[in-house]
Amino acid sequence: MIRLIASDIDGTLLPYGEQAISEEIFQEIRRLERKGILFCPASGRQYTSVRKLFAPVADRLPCVCENGAAVYGPGGPGPLLGKTPMDREQALALCRDIIALPGAEVLISGADTSYLCPKYGDILPLMESKGNNIVLLSRPEDVPEDIVKLAAFCLQGTSILEAALVPQWGRVFHAAVAGAEWLDFTLADKGTGLTQLCAALGVGLDQVTAFGDNFNDAPMLSIAGQPWIMEGAAPELRERFPNRCRRVADILRTL
């Protein structure tokens, strides 16, 4: 019996390049709620961004945010159920390495605030378009709270970021490609976040259906009772998770 649906957003619920969740998804969330099935966005996005994106149903939804490093229960806004901070000195050292890379920007995440130290003109409007709560800083050391996630952004793609950062920092933090231009670092992952949420809600992992399209979704898909990978995912992910779909809504309608 399925009691919880956990779904990635970008590339899964929201095709890349699109800005709004379809009304069809909102209708399915309401229908499933009447059947006793909760819907949970599970994203690298910030909680404020997720709530804006799901505004018509936001108060109904628990959320796994920041790739599992911040977990919220239902409500308007919901309670913070779990947070997994990174070691501050290590996180700041990684920030400095990202900033030193030509063409790269760093996005520093607190539980519900994005901290930017922009080098170029691209990242600020991009994060504003996602609805993030943003604070600009002159240096990473000025972040006033626990750091739960770091993201490296590069318009030239993640291969540059992976080559420069993963050999050293992949031994310290979870490193996961989160989009064509994003490489995320956390101590948590979406599997950690989903596990915390299910424990708080009294839901078994075998009672979860999960959807994803990228490598940062794999920890969540690996522990969910019914995992689904999007048809457009990388070949190695399609091999690992045999249940595939083109549209999340098509599967939701069968539940």
Side-chain angles (χ1 to χ4, degrees), residues 107 114 116 122-132 134 182:
L107 171 66
S114 295
L116 299 175
D122 302 303
I123 193 166
L124 180 56
L126 175 62
M127 300 318 298
E128 288 175 337
S129 73
K130 292 181 178 292
N132 280 38
I134 299 168
W182 292 95

Side-chain angles (χ1 to χ4, degrees), residues 101 157-168 175-177 183 185 215:
L101 284 175
T158 56
S159 59
I160 295 170
L161 301 171
E162 289 182 283
L165 300 170
V166 171
Q168 176 182 356
V177 173
L183 180 64
F185 293 90
F215 291 95

Side-chain angles (χ1 to χ4, degrees), residues 22-232:
S22 70
E23 178 59 32
E24 181 181 20
I25 293 294
F26 296 144
Q27 291 173 357
E28 287 300 315
I29 289 172
R30 296 183 187 102
R31 182 187 66 82
L32 290 164
E33 184 185 38
R34 292 193 293 271
K35 294 184 66 174
I37 302 173
L38 278 175
F39 186 92
C40 172
S43 176
R45 290 188 182 227
Q46 176 192 98
Y47 184 55
T48 292
S49 172
V50 173
R51 284 186 59 83
K52 289 178 180 177
L53 197 59
F54 286 85
V57 294
D59 290 352
R60 295 174 159 86
L61 307 181
C63 293
V64 172
C65 300
E66 306 293 0
N67 276 345
V71 179
Y72 294 83
L80 179 64
L81 300 177
K83 182 174 73 169
T84 308
M86 305 167 78
D87 178 84
R88 186 174 183 86
E89 291 308 313
Q90 290 179 322
L92 292 174
L94 174 53
C95 286
R96 292 188 285 269
D97 283 355
I98 295 170
I99 290 170
L101 284 175
E105 297 274 20
V106 66
L107 171 66
I108 307 167
S109 295
D112 193 33
T113 302
S114 295
Y115 299 94
L116 299 175
C117 308
K119 293 159 50 182
Y120 311 106
D122 302 303
I123 193 166
L124 180 56
L126 175 62
M127 300 318 298
E128 288 175 337
S129 73
K130 292 181 178 292
N132 280 38
N133 177 30
I134 299 168
V135 172
L136 299 182
L137 300 175
S138 59
R139 59 187 195 132
E141 287 78 6
D142 294 334
V143 172
E145 63 172 300
D146 288 335
I147 297 171
V148 300
K149 188 186 79 172
L150 295 176
F153 170 77
C154 182
L155 286 173
Q156 284 71 49
T158 56
S159 59
I160 295 170
L161 301 171
E162 289 182 283
L165 300 170
V166 171
Q168 176 182 356
W169 291 107
R171 298 193 299 266
V172 180
F173 301 120
H174 296 296
V177 173
E181 299 154 341
W182 292 95
L183 180 64
D184 288 354
F185 293 90
T186 55
L187 272 183
D189 57 37
K190 290 189 182 181
T192 305
L194 179 61
T195 299
Q196 289 178 344
L197 178 64
C198 285
L201 298 178
V203 172
L205 290 168
D206 60 337
Q207 297 174 305
V208 177
T209 294
F211 297 88
D213 79 306
N214 220 321
F215 291 95
N216 63 334
D217 300 313
M220 172 178 71
L221 298 176
S222 297
I223 62 172
Q226 189 181 86
W228 290 86
I229 195 75
M230 304 306 289
E231 286 284 3

